[in-house]
Amino acid sequence: MSPVSLKRHGTVSVITIDNPPVNVLSQPVRQGLVDCFDAAEADAATEAVVLICAGRTFIAGADIREFDRPPEEPQLPDVVARIEATTKPVLAAVHGTALGGGLEVAMACHYRLAHRMSTLGLPEVTLGLLPGATGTQRLPRLVGVERALDMMLSGEPVAAGAAMEAGLVDKLTGEDLLAEAISYAEKLAKPGPRRVRDLAVEPVDAAVFDAARKRISQKARGLLSPERIIRSVELATRGDFDAGRAAERRFFLECKASAQSQGLRHAFFAERKTATIPGIGKETPSRKIENIAVIGAGTMGAGIAYSCLTAGFTVQLLDKDEAGLARGATAVRKLFDGGLARGKFARQDLESSLQRFHASRDFADLGGTDLVIEAVFENMAIKKEVFARLDEVCKQGAILATNTSTLDVDEMASATSRPKDVIGLHFFSPAHVMRLLEIVRGAETSGDVVVTALDLAKKLGKIGVVVGNCFGFVGNRMLYSYGRENQLLLLEGAAPEYIDRILTDWGMAMGPNAVGDLAGLDVGYKARQERRDRPDDPRFYRIADLLAELGRFGQKTGKGMYRYEQGSREPVPDPEVQALIRDEARRLGVPQREISETEIVERCIYGLVTEGARILEDGISHRASDIDVVWINGYGFPRHRGGPLNFADTIGVKKVYRTVAEFEKRFGPEYWTPPQLLRKLAEKNGRFGDIGN
Ligand code: 3H9
């Protein structure tokens, strides 16, 4: 049965798309639309047509899954042209979200009625695409060039009210969308069809395009689709709709075929897969969480408390130190002030959130807590003490979580009588900004605790990724390999700023040396001291350790791998560090040499890939794409490369394997022995992307 149906109500034909969950424009929908518009056109009793969707939303866009297959007829630009050509007035009735191809379909309709709570947008840029069904030509005709560029370059949807003010929507409605649409359509027979393609684009100064180009050169460095969006809109201003449409189509196909779009599409689906956990069925219940306690009122604890408060939980911040607790409470308040200033919520929401916030120094206050998140100093003995105390005071069924970034969750669980209730919730700093939550499942953590943690992530607006228990879990375990190569490259003669520039040019949000200074070199130093399986290699993180031992902790001390002028976060290369690295290399007998850009990228990024492969082999992650999600959302890995393992798939696992095998010969087997999984995949021409899906 077709997902598109036609039913006449008096003189109005209603075409309904019913393609759950989000009414994407897959081939049967496109065919159904053409058939139904043909039928409505041919029906003499029909004077106007309404296009509406069943279920929770209007059309959410083209079916992205189809982009990896050869295109099937009818194609969306033709469907859109068919809708616009209808000789009877066509009204789009929008609810939920009208996104991408969905908004393009709505713009091909002659009028648009939108539910007050709906949103409309062209998010194609987030998938490395541009609107490919005349969106780049129609939107500027409706809302003007500047607004259209903003919407398409940010990909952010706009609320129906704002869309109406901008000219994208003709009328807003309350609850009964269908009834209001029919009544509105009945009045449209007289004005008749009104086609967006016939509207003129208001002329703008060329400076508008220069400004947009400047913006993308800063924000979307090296990305193809933003530039193609700007060019398409420039063409729209020339007034020839068909020429603009043809160029847009060419650009769309170019972007769709690009590795950037493939990587971004991979990231889109990877992020939606993380909630499916092998062995935990949909029937597994979630525990009820209303009251959350955060132990440790440092920066991380305050950030976690703030995130939980803004998500509607009641939060208790606990610290044994009075002054520390006061500082934590002030930090929470400051985060709220910042949120208010940025328009994240209204003042009354702030006040009601703060009413749910309590500070305490007494563990005995935690008796009613549903979930405790421990965020104390990264030291096993201290953490075990905290867990033993929690075991005494918390009610049965409470979840006891640790925010450790590297330490053994099972060992902490062993300090309690209820290891099945213990889990790792590894937030990333700043906790209220970073979207990743690594959910560490201990050997005994029960399924419902994992499900509850995934639910919590969703409520906090984060992406929860379930990982196993090992030193550093997924993210930091891989970071060790990446950082290890950075450190070795320093000793071998590559300057910190050279390595950082090459890796940021490659797409990393920041270089590893600038990141170290931002996070604090003392933090990594202490974590390495706690590490039991630290390699017996004098070169291992030698430069970072040396700087930390000299009190050069990074930005907070004004000196680290770089130096920082008073009050500035701008890293300045420091000759002292260069001399120190040279001396240390000499002392350790490491010859310094010129190192190519390719070698830097390969050693750092293949370091990530090989550790990722080991993580899969060890069962710490059960899906390659989960590893990609961790690195994209927690470590600034370029989203358009789809994560480290997707990147390996893109360039070919065979190539990665061959290079790693060469590195084994060149640099020794200690770090570079190719994992079995990498070898096996290379032998059978396999892909990481097929693991765990
Ligand atoms: C485009 O339109 C190109 C055109 O300009 C030109 C063409 C020629 N395709 O996110 P959810 C799946 S590009 C295929 O969990 P929510 C999703 O994977 C497109 N599948 O729900 C998930 O599947 P599963 C432009 C899609 O309520 C399920 O639907 N449009 C698509 O949190 C539910 O999704 C976009 O970029 C899709 N387009 O959020 C919008 N969309 O259940 C992309 C969703 O198997 N979509 N799925 O895991 C979204 O932003 C959100 O899905 C939406 C709902 C806000 C709609």
Side-chain angles (χ1 to χ4, degrees):
M1 209 176 80
S2 170
V4 189
S5 60
L6 172 71
K7 187 172 175 205
R8 192 154 50 72
H9 298 245
T11 57
V12 177
S13 276
V14 176
I15 296 176
T16 307
I17 301 176
D18 188 1
N19 187 30
V22 291
N23 289 316
V24 293
L25 291 156
S26 30
Q27 191 279 337
V29 173
R30 298 196 302 273
Q31 186 60 57
L33 282 172
V34 171
D35 294 344
C36 287
F37 272 94
D38 284 350
E41 185 94 82
D43 176 25
T46 296
E47 289 181 9
V49 182
V50 165
L51 175 63
I52 196 165
C53 290
R56 61 173 148 132
T57 179
F58 193 74
I59 307 162
D63 185 344
I64 310 166
R65 288 174 213 274
E66 284 185 0
F67 291 170
D68 293 324
R69 307 198 290 263
E72 284 178 88
E73 299 296 331
Q75 296 197 40
L76 193 56
D78 301 328
V79 176
V80 156
R82 168 67 196 89
I83 294 173
E84 188 173 56
T86 307
T87 55
K88 299 164 184 180
V90 181
L91 172 69
V94 172
H95 75 295
T97 45
L99 297 176
L103 181 54
E104 291 176 299
V105 165
M107 288 192 290
C109 295
H110 306 138
Y111 300 87
R112 281 156 296 281
L113 168 73
H115 190 280
R116 275 199 182 85
M117 300 305 286
S118 61
T119 54
L120 304 92
L122 292 173
E124 283 87 344
V125 72
T126 63
L127 299 166
L129 299 169
L130 66 157
T134 61
T136 63
Q137 304 304 297
R138 291 182 199 277
L139 194 60
R141 284 174 160 80
L142 284 166
V143 305
V145 167
E146 285 192 72
R147 188 70 192 252
L149 281 172
D150 271 357
M151 282 178 68
M152 288 190 275
L153 292 175
S154 72
E156 290 287 331
V158 294
M164 167 118 174
E165 274 168 33
L168 181 55
V169 162
D170 299 291
K171 195 170 179 222
L172 295 181
T173 180
E175 289 312 305
D176 193 347
L177 185 64
L178 177 62
E180 292 209 33
I182 292 172
S183 133
Y184 185 17
E186 281 166 351
K187 298 185 192 89
L188 295 174
K190 189 98 181 277
R194 187 194 60 176
R195 298 187 175 89
V196 173
R197 60 171 288 148
D198 297 335
L199 301 175
V201 182
E202 277 194 23
V204 287
D205 199 282
V208 168
F209 294 105
D210 294 342
R213 287 211 162 83
K214 194 162 172 217
R215 251 190 355 255
I216 64 164
S217 72
Q218 288 155 353
K219 282 196 163 173
R221 236 174 340 128
L223 294 186
L224 180 66
S225 71
E227 168 56 26
R228 295 297 184 264
I229 288 171
I230 296 175
R231 277 175 66 182
S232 295
V233 177
E234 271 173 336
L235 289 170
T237 60
R238 300 208 183 139
D240 182 340
F241 186 86
D242 290 323
R245 177 172 65 177
E248 177 200 81
R249 185 76 190 147
R250 258 197 335 273
F251 295 152
F252 177 80
L253 294 175
E254 179 193 12
C255 287
K256 187 177 83 152
S258 69
Q260 290 181 357
S261 176
Q262 187 280 330
L264 289 164
R265 276 152 30 207
H266 169 80
F268 176 87
F269 288 115
E271 285 173 355
R272 280 159 179 79
K273 254 183 247 160
T274 61
T276 315
I277 311 300
I280 302 185
K282 281 204 162 58
E283 69 291 348
T284 309
S286 175
R287 294 190 194 174
K288 194 167 164 202
I289 304 289
E290 282 170 357
N291 298 299
I292 298 179
V294 180
I295 318 276
T299 311
M300 190 48 119
I304 296 172
Y306 170 75
S307 292
C308 296
L309 284 164
T310 51
F313 294 101
T314 296
V315 176
Q316 196 157 33
L317 185 65
L318 191 128
D319 202 300
K320 61 179 176 8
D321 174 57
E322 180 88 55
L325 192 58
R327 266 199 307 276
T330 308
V332 171
R333 177 85 218 195
K334 264 200 184 142
L335 289 170
F336 270 106
D337 290 342
L340 188 68
R342 284 195 304 278
K344 292 222 153 205
F345 36 73
R347 178 159 294 278
Q348 77 207 56
D349 300 330
L350 179 153
E351 298 306 336
S352 85
S353 296
L354 284 173
Q355 274 168 17
R356 285 183 273 105
F357 178 54
H358 311 279
S360 164
R361 291 179 59 209
D362 194 352
F363 270 83
D365 290 341
L366 301 183
T369 305
D370 305 310
L371 162 69
V372 184
I373 304 170
E374 161 284 303
V376 302
F377 194 61
E378 206 56 357
N379 172 291
M380 184 54 90
I382 299 175
K383 292 205 186 253
K384 281 172 87 171
E385 235 173 76
V386 168
F387 271 88
R389 191 79 184 96
L390 291 175
D391 193 31
E392 283 164 19
V393 297
C394 289
K395 67 181 181 191
Q396 283 307 308
I399 296 176
L400 311 182
T402 168
N403 176 51
T404 181
S405 54
T406 49
L407 300 177
D408 185 343
V409 173
D410 289 333
E411 192 172 340
M412 286 176 232
S414 74
T416 73
S417 61
R418 38 175 132 174
K420 66 178 184 13
D421 295 334
V422 175
I423 195 162
L425 292 180
H426 178 202
F427 288 80
F428 286 68
S429 184
H432 62 292
V433 176
M434 299 293 284
R435 282 189 77 208
L436 179 65
L437 182 67
E438 247 185 339
I439 297 172
V440 188
R441 188 179 188 177
E444 292 188 51
T445 311
S446 73
D448 64 337
V449 172
V450 176
V451 169
T452 312
L454 280 163
D455 274 0
L456 174 78
K458 211 167 183 184
K459 286 185 183 134
L460 298 180
K462 300 194 184 294
I463 304 171
V465 180
V466 178
V467 302
N469 183 33
C470 65
F471 187 87
F473 319 122
V474 167
N476 280 343
R477 175 165 161 182
M478 287 168 72
L479 183 65
Y480 262 96
S481 309
Y482 175 76
R484 176 200 74 215
E485 288 309 306
N486 169 51
Q487 291 282 318
L488 291 172
L489 285 161
L490 291 170
L491 278 174
E492 290 166 36
E497 62 277 13
Y498 176 60
I499 299 175
D500 282 4
R501 181 187 57 77
I502 287 164
L503 288 168
T504 48
D505 282 355
W506 189 79
M508 296 301 293
M510 283 173 85
N513 298 297
V515 168
D517 277 0
L518 177 68
L521 294 177
D522 53 326
V523 176
Y525 181 79
K526 281 179 203 141
R528 284 189 293 281
Q529 300 300 308
E530 287 280 310
R531 186 170 173 175
R532 291 173 190 157
D533 60 343
R534 191 186 156 107
D536 185 21
D537 172 0
R539 298 169 309 158
F540 186 74
Y541 278 86
R542 183 60 203 139
I543 300 303
D545 283 353
L546 203 56
L547 293 173
E549 281 157 13
L550 289 170
R552 296 187 62 126
F553 295 161
Q555 284 191 18
K556 60 185 161 192
T557 55
K559 281 177 173 184
M561 200 61 87
Y562 296 95
R563 69 188 167 75
Y564 300 84
E565 303 299 344
Q566 184 90 33
S568 162
R569 289 157 169 248
E570 188 61 34
V572 180
D574 188 345
E576 262 182 49
V577 173
Q578 275 148 27
L580 181 140
I581 295 174
R582 250 193 331 268
D583 292 350
E584 196 58 16
R586 202 171 303 128
R587 194 183 70 76
L588 291 170
V590 180
Q592 293 213 311
R593 62 191 165 91
E594 276 213 3
I595 302 177
S596 72
E597 300 196 3
T598 308
E599 181 176 336
I600 286 175
V601 170
E602 287 183 343
R603 282 178 62 186
C604 292
I605 304 300
Y606 294 178
L608 283 178
V609 175
T610 42
E611 200 57 47
R614 284 193 196 101
I615 281 169
L616 286 169
E617 273 177 359
D618 295 351
I620 293 300
S621 192
H622 38 249
R623 196 184 284 125
S625 63
D626 280 2
I627 294 177
D628 288 334
V629 173
V630 166
W631 264 75
I632 290 170
N633 291 287
Y635 297 85
F637 193 93
R639 191 175 174 87
H640 68 269
R641 296 194 188 268
L645 298 183
N646 182 71
F647 169 69
D649 284 345
T650 312
I651 58 166
V653 173
K654 220 176 216 164
K655 173 174 162 40
V656 178
Y657 170 74
R658 272 202 303 263
T659 311
V660 170
E662 267 168 37
F663 285 172
E664 185 185 23
K665 285 192 206 120
R666 246 178 100 188
F667 304 114
E670 186 171 12
Y671 305 131
W672 284 110
T673 301
Q676 293 281 334
L677 177 65
L678 188 66
R679 185 174 54 75
K680 278 193 201 142
L681 282 180
E683 277 168 7
K684 63 174 190 198
N685 246 337
R687 301 172 67 255
F688 282 109
D690 296 331
I691 298 172
N693 287 317

